[in-house]
């Protein structure tokens, strides 16, 4: 099984949200499936959800301990997720013990 990258997950999530918002899914089963996928992708139980939460924390600026507590992951996993975000082309800086995404 191949893992999906952060940027691919972001694209899929945004496409599903857009299709749901704009009525692009005409069949009730398709809407239900898309809504379920969006919910799962935003859940703290998925890597995609953890990426989303971590990205939101980085926009505000957060310490490693805040990230660990917020997303419920180990220190090692948080650093792995930060690497995923950087590999997607987003720049992260450390200033005063707080990690931030550069605009």
């Amino acid at each position: 099984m191949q893992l999906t990258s952060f940027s691919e997950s972001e694209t899929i999530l945004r496409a599903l949200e857009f299709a749901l918002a704009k009525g692009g899914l005409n069949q009730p089963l398709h809407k239900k499936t898309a809504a379920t996928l969006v919910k799962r992708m935003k859940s703290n139980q998925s890597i995609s959800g953890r990426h989303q939460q971590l990205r939101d924390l980085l926009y505000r600026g957060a310490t490693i301990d805040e990230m660990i507590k917020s997303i419920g992951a180990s220190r090692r996993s948080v650093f792995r997720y930060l690497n995923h975000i950087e590999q997607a082309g987003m720049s992260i800086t450390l200033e005063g013990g707080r990690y931030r995404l550069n605009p």
Side-chain angles (χ1 to χ4, degrees):
M1 182 171 101
Q2 185 178 4
L3 294 177
T4 303
S5 75
F6 172 77
S7 57
E8 289 170 334
S9 294
E10 278 283 297
T11 302
I12 293 165
L13 179 60
R14 298 295 164 238
L16 287 170
E17 289 176 327
F18 182 81
L20 286 168
K22 298 297 181 182
L25 302 168
N26 297 326
Q27 301 294 321
L29 182 59
H30 295 166
K31 287 180 186 179
K32 183 178 179 180
T33 302
T36 301
L37 283 170
V38 167
K39 184 177 180 180
R40 286 183 182 170
M41 289 180 78
K42 288 185 168 187
S43 164
N44 203 23
Q45 300 299 313
S46 71
I47 292 174
S48 174
R50 290 178 181 171
H51 282 150
Q52 299 293 319
Q53 292 174 352
L54 190 57
R55 187 202 58 212
D56 293 343
L57 285 170
L58 290 170
Y59 278 126
R60 293 177 286 186
T63 66
I64 290 295
D65 288 336
E66 290 169 343
M67 290 183 253
I68 290 169
K69 184 177 179 182
S70 179
I71 67 171
S74 69
R75 182 177 195 85
R76 182 176 179 204
S77 291
V78 167
F79 280 109
R80 187 174 60 247
Y81 298 152
L82 290 173
N83 285 334
H84 294 166
I85 292 170
E86 286 184 319
Q87 288 170 354
M90 302 172 98
S91 177
I92 300 171
T93 58
L94 173 62
E95 189 174 304
R98 300 187 85 70
Y99 290 81
R100 293 185 192 279
L101 274 178
N102 294 328

